[in-house]
């Protein structure tokens, strides 16, 4: 942005005055750091000079370093062994933070993936065991119905009759079967 050479106020306009710009651009000026720098040149060339002026205050170009000094002293700053170590630490800290962020993102993704797998597995198990439970309930109901048709449905101990054709002893296990329903053998004798 152009500045007035007298008062250094920014000149803003939508209609540039090319004649005025040419006249002002050709004026001879001294470096803004004239107390230390001896450069003189045209107004048009001042920005180019400021980019190379040894007495311009600049910031260290290492990311994270906040050191400012004159351009002529920046070489000393960059060559100081303690500063080099600080710059390495800054770069290392930045890289470490990037890695930590990436790891946290990956772990969050893996955790979410594991949670989804767990939920799917739990749903599968719930469905499986619910169907088994229903199957066993149906069998129990079937056995209760058979028991009802055999003897009125009471759960009292009945006297065993060895002559009944629909009843037999399963050898070695102590269980009777009556019309397809297995009943434990009572501990009393016939």
């Amino acid at each position: 942005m152009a500045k007035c050479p007298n008062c250094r106020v920014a000149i803003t306009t939508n209609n540039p005055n090319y004649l005025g710009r040419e006249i002002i651009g050709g004026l001879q000026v001294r470096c803004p750091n004239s107390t230390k720098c001896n450069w003189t040149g045209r107004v048009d060339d001042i920005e180019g000079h400021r980019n190379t002026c040894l007495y311009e205050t600049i910031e260290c170009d290492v990311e994270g370093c906040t050191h400012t000094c004159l351009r002529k002293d920046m070489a000393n700053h960059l060559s100081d062994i303690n500063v080099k170590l600080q710059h390495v630490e800054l770069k290392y800290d930045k890289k470490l933070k990037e890695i930590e962020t990436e790891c946290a993102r990956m772990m969050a993704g893996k955790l979410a993936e594991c949670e989804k797998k767990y939920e799917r597995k739990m749903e599968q198990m719930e469905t499986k065991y619910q169907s088994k439970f229903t199957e066993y309930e149906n069998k129990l109901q079937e056995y209760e119905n058979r028991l009802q048709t055999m003897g009125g449905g009471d759960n009292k101990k009945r006297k065993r009759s060895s002559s009944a054709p629909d009843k037999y002893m399963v050898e070695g296990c102590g269980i009777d079967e009556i019309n397809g329903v297995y009943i434990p053998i009572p501990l009393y004798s016939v």
Side-chain angles (χ1 to χ4, degrees), residues 159-169 176-178 190:
K159 186 170 183 176
R160 292 178 8 165
S161 168
S162 60
S163 62
D166 59 349
K167 174 178 159 184
Y168 66 91
M169 170 93 177
D176 276 351
E177 180 186 339
I178 300 175
V190 181

Side-chain angles (χ1 to χ4, degrees), residues 1-189:
M1 178 167 289
K3 293 182 180 181
C4 173
N6 287 333
C7 64
R8 303 277 185 221
V9 174
I11 299 172
T12 59
T13 179
N14 291 334
N15 299 319
N17 183 336
Y18 294 110
L19 180 60
R21 184 183 294 172
E22 189 175 319
I23 292 170
I24 292 172
L27 294 175
Q28 290 290 316
V29 293
R30 295 182 68 196
C31 176
N33 304 309
S34 61
T35 57
K36 300 171 190 161
C37 179
N38 296 327
W39 180 87
T40 57
R42 295 171 27 131
V43 170
D44 289 341
D45 299 332
I46 192 113
E47 287 303 316
H49 168 70
R50 291 189 79 175
N51 290 333
T52 60
C53 179
L54 295 177
Y55 297 98
E56 186 73 23
T57 301
I58 60 171
E59 290 183 3
C60 180
D61 59 352
V62 174
E63 189 175 345
C65 182
T66 58
H67 179 75
T68 59
C69 64
L70 298 179
R71 182 173 277 116
K72 71 179 187 77
D73 298 330
M74 187 55 71
N76 292 338
H77 167 72
L78 294 174
S79 65
D80 184 346
I81 191 70
N82 293 325
V83 173
K84 284 182 179 182
L85 288 173
Q86 289 173 346
H87 289 169
V88 168
E89 287 176 2
L90 288 170
K91 289 178 184 177
Y92 174 77
D93 287 345
K94 180 183 178 219
K95 189 65 175 173
L96 185 61
K97 286 178 184 175
E98 289 173 0
I99 291 171
E100 286 174 347
T101 302
E102 180 65 18
C103 285
R105 185 189 63 76
M106 288 174 56
M107 292 303 289
K110 288 287 185 185
L111 180 61
E113 183 181 322
C114 286
E115 286 175 346
K116 287 178 184 177
K117 283 182 181 178
Y118 174 76
E119 288 173 5
R120 282 194 304 267
K121 190 69 171 174
M122 289 303 293
E123 288 172 3
Q124 290 171 352
M125 289 176 66
E126 185 178 325
T127 303
K128 176 183 173 183
Y129 290 117
Q130 183 63 38
S131 65
K132 284 284 189 189
F133 181 72
T134 304
E135 178 185 330
Y136 291 142
E137 277 186 329
N138 292 339
K139 282 185 180 180
L140 180 62
Q141 185 64 43
E142 181 183 322
Y143 293 149
E144 287 177 353
N145 290 343
R146 284 185 184 174
L147 193 57
Q148 285 281 349
T149 59
M150 283 179 18
D154 58 2
N155 289 332
K156 295 177 185 173
K157 291 183 181 178
R158 287 168 289 196
K159 186 170 183 176
R160 292 178 8 165
S161 168
S162 60
S163 62
D166 59 349
K167 174 178 159 184
Y168 66 91
M169 170 93 177
V170 177
E171 288 189 34
C173 70
I175 295 182
D176 276 351
E177 180 186 339
I178 300 175
N179 292 335
V181 177
Y182 291 102
I183 301 172
I185 299 174
L187 297 176
Y188 60 89
S189 61

